[in-house]
Amino acid sequence: MVSARSILGTLVVCLLVSACELEEVTIPAATPVVVVHSVINVGEPTQFVILEESLTGRSSLHYSPGLVPPAPAGEGTPIEDAYVALTYSGSGNCPRPMVQLYERPPVNLGDLGWVPSGVYSTSEFCDLSPGDSVALRVEALNGEIVRGLTVIPGARSIDIFTREERGESLTLRYGADSVWIDVDPILARALDVELSSDPARAPDGYGGTYFRLAADTMSLVFAGDLQTFEDKDEGEAVFKPGSYMNLTVAVADTNYYDFVRSFSNPLNGRGFINHLEGGIGVFGSVLTTQRFLKVIDRQEDEREGLYRVTGALDSGGVYLGEVDVKLDLYMEPVLLGGHFSAFVDGVWAIGPISTSAEGYYRYTQAAAQSGRGSFEANFMTLSGDSRAWHNIAGAPTSPSSSFQATVTSSFEVAPYYFRHFTNTVTVERLSTTR
């Protein structure tokens, strides 16, 4: 028997003699494989197939972390000049059962310049019903052929409701309510649920996913005080009071469910469930429905409640308009440090707005003794296709006091180009907690 002590002794000897030095081994670059990202979304007018080469060890200048489409899907190199086609098989009326998808224009990635999009799309595909089949054929790289097949899922009904409401828009009270999802499926394998901030009302103008779950069940209940999957002291609320949120429920086929629930072990490559022939990735299908949530809560913290922001905006002496908005402010119920979200409604220079803000309001006994607190709120406004970001920052002397604040506005006048200006407004406390 070889003991642990003898093994350790051998290792020490190896470190002391040059004969045990490790050699550098160069691993040859792998042959690229076609990677497919495509999920047929029933009811959507346009369908997409995103193609890229797998990582092979060589450097790539095409990396993009952006959302898709139109940006590339991951770290691989986008594949251009491919042949991509979808073929319909079913009992419905389909004038063109086979359509070719065409490549979208190159994408401007700023410092990286213009690169192929890797995105192929069509708006001419058939209407789809549960049980229909769609076949994918891709010819790319050195003539490699990738095939996939999905069977369209569906549902007789998708019921999403809170304790007191049903409908397209729901009000959820944090900690005192839940969200129920009940689906009567047709050829469905799983549900995929995503909760995200509403991009049109998100403070950063882009939105983000707070929670996502795929499960092989057709009924789910989410508690209103659900937290992210982290330690209690480090997690945060999934349903954020003071926010407008989108709840998307997708009824999914087997291909999609296997893709989102499996992964590739970085050591042996095992674990990923692949349904494509000649390539890797996903070609699946979903039926989606969406609900809009307004999340509220009891307002018990002394900083919570209704605030009014008033003043006038100008840029370089040019009058832009009046500001008169109300902030309905809710402290983040889990995170420490004074984080908050707030509904923002009223008039902001260019016209009426209804959006949400995020920020922090730090006011402690130490701050009270020094005479200063710290307040900062950030939100985005839309005017046609142009966006502007606003930051309100001030130093209240008490949670109930009015104070002067600086508003810094950044207008996007062209992609990656902004015009900034600063003004002063008054922040007034209108009501206490309720």
Side-chain angles (χ1 to χ4, degrees):
M1 176 179 293
V2 180
S3 67
R5 183 185 300 272
S6 63
I7 294 174
L8 178 60
T10 302
L11 290 174
V12 172
V13 172
C14 285
L15 292 174
L16 295 176
V17 296
S18 60
C20 291
E21 290 181 356
L22 297 176
E23 293 185 20
E24 289 188 2
V25 178
T26 301
I27 301 175
T31 302
V33 177
V34 179
V35 181
V36 176
H37 309 262
S38 181
V39 179
I40 301 297
N41 196 341
V42 179
E44 289 296 318
T46 304
Q47 305 298 340
F48 302 92
V49 175
I50 302 170
L51 302 179
E52 59 185 11
E53 298 179 25
S54 61
L55 298 177
T56 61
R58 63 185 176 87
S59 62
S60 172
L61 298 178
H62 301 301
Y63 170 76
S64 170
L67 299 176
V68 293
E75 297 184 5
T77 301
I79 295 176
E80 57 183 330
D81 300 328
Y83 172 82
V84 182
L86 297 176
T87 302
Y88 168 87
S89 178
S91 58
N93 180 24
C94 184
R96 293 184 58 193
M98 194 279 286
V99 296
Q100 182 178 350
L101 284 68
Y102 292 96
E103 187 176 3
R104 288 194 161 189
V107 178
N108 185 357
L109 296 183
D111 294 340
L112 298 180
W114 292 85
V115 300
S117 68
V119 178
Y120 298 76
S121 65
T122 180
S123 300
E124 300 177 352
F125 202 45
C126 310
D127 293 333
L128 299 171
S129 300
D132 293 342
S133 296
V134 179
L136 169 70
R137 180 183 175 89
V138 174
E139 297 179 18
L141 296 178
N142 297 319
E144 295 183 24
I145 297 176
V146 182
R147 295 183 177 90
L149 181 69
T150 180
V151 178
I152 302 300
R156 297 177 186 86
S157 63
I158 301 177
D159 198 11
I160 304 171
F161 56 96
T162 62
R163 193 181 308 275
E164 298 180 353
E165 289 187 326
R166 277 180 165 87
E168 295 297 315
S169 298
L170 304 170
T171 299
L172 176 72
R173 183 178 292 275
Y174 177 88
D177 207 348
S178 298
V179 176
W180 280 263
I181 301 172
D182 191 12
V183 176
D184 184 5
I186 304 174
L187 298 173
R189 176 69 175 85
L191 292 182
D192 186 60
V193 180
E194 179 179 285
L195 185 73
S196 59
S197 54
D198 184 349
R201 294 175 165 181
D204 62 1
Y206 299 98
T209 300
Y210 288 100
F211 179 81
R212 188 169 188 178
L213 176 69
D216 59 347
T217 180
M218 293 294 124
S219 296
L220 293 167
V221 181
F222 296 101
D225 57 358
L226 183 67
Q227 296 181 24
T228 53
F229 296 129
E230 299 180 35
D231 294 337
K232 180 101 177 149
D233 293 337
E234 297 180 355
E236 60 181 300
V238 170
F239 298 97
K240 301 176 74 67
S243 298
Y244 295 102
M245 311 192 81
N246 293 339
L247 177 66
T248 303
V249 176
V251 180
D253 76 332
T254 297
N255 295 358
Y256 179 85
Y257 179 59
D258 285 345
F259 176 76
V260 298
R261 73 186 178 98
S262 64
F263 66 95
S264 180
N265 187 303
L267 297 179
N268 58 27
R270 296 179 179 177
F272 178 68
I273 305 174
N274 185 46
H275 291 279
L276 292 172
E277 176 187 339
I280 59 174
V282 60
F283 178 64
S285 53
V286 297
L287 169 68
T288 62
T289 187
Q290 191 173 75
R291 297 292 185 272
F292 304 97
L293 301 180
K294 180 179 181 179
V295 187
I296 63 174
D297 194 9
R298 292 178 59 86
Q299 293 174 308
E300 299 176 328
D301 188 284
E302 63 177 353
R303 294 163 293 185
E304 295 178 316
L306 199 62
Y307 293 77
R308 184 183 182 187
V309 181
T310 56
L313 301 186
D314 70 77
S315 175
V318 178
Y319 176 74
L320 298 178
E322 295 294 316
V323 166
D324 191 348
V325 298
K326 294 178 181 178
L327 275 64
D328 195 5
L329 189 150
Y330 298 81
M331 303 305 299
E332 216 285 349
V334 179
L335 286 176
L336 302 177
H339 297 275
F340 71 78
S341 297
F343 300 115
V344 184
D345 295 279
V347 176
W348 189 271
I350 57 176
I353 63 170
S354 179
T355 187
S356 59
E358 288 184 351
Y360 61 85
Y361 190 170
R362 299 191 179 105
Y363 199 91
T364 63
Q365 289 300 319
Q369 293 174 3
S370 66
R372 293 286 180 178
S374 179
F375 178 96
E376 184 168 330
N378 300 282
F379 61 96
M380 184 268 297
T381 56
L382 283 170
S383 177
D385 294 331
S386 64
R387 299 180 296 178
W389 287 264
H390 311 280
N391 171 272
I392 303 175
T397 56
S398 73
S400 60
S401 65
S402 299
F403 58 95
Q404 296 295 107
T406 298
V407 177
T408 302
S409 298
S410 301
F411 281 84
E412 188 178 33
V413 296
Y416 308 106
Y417 180 72
F418 298 88
R419 181 165 55 87
H420 311 279
F421 58 87
T422 301
N423 289 275
T424 300
V425 293
T426 300
V427 182
E428 177 189 4
R429 182 68 177 271
L430 294 183
S431 66
T432 57
T433 56
R434 57 188 187 277

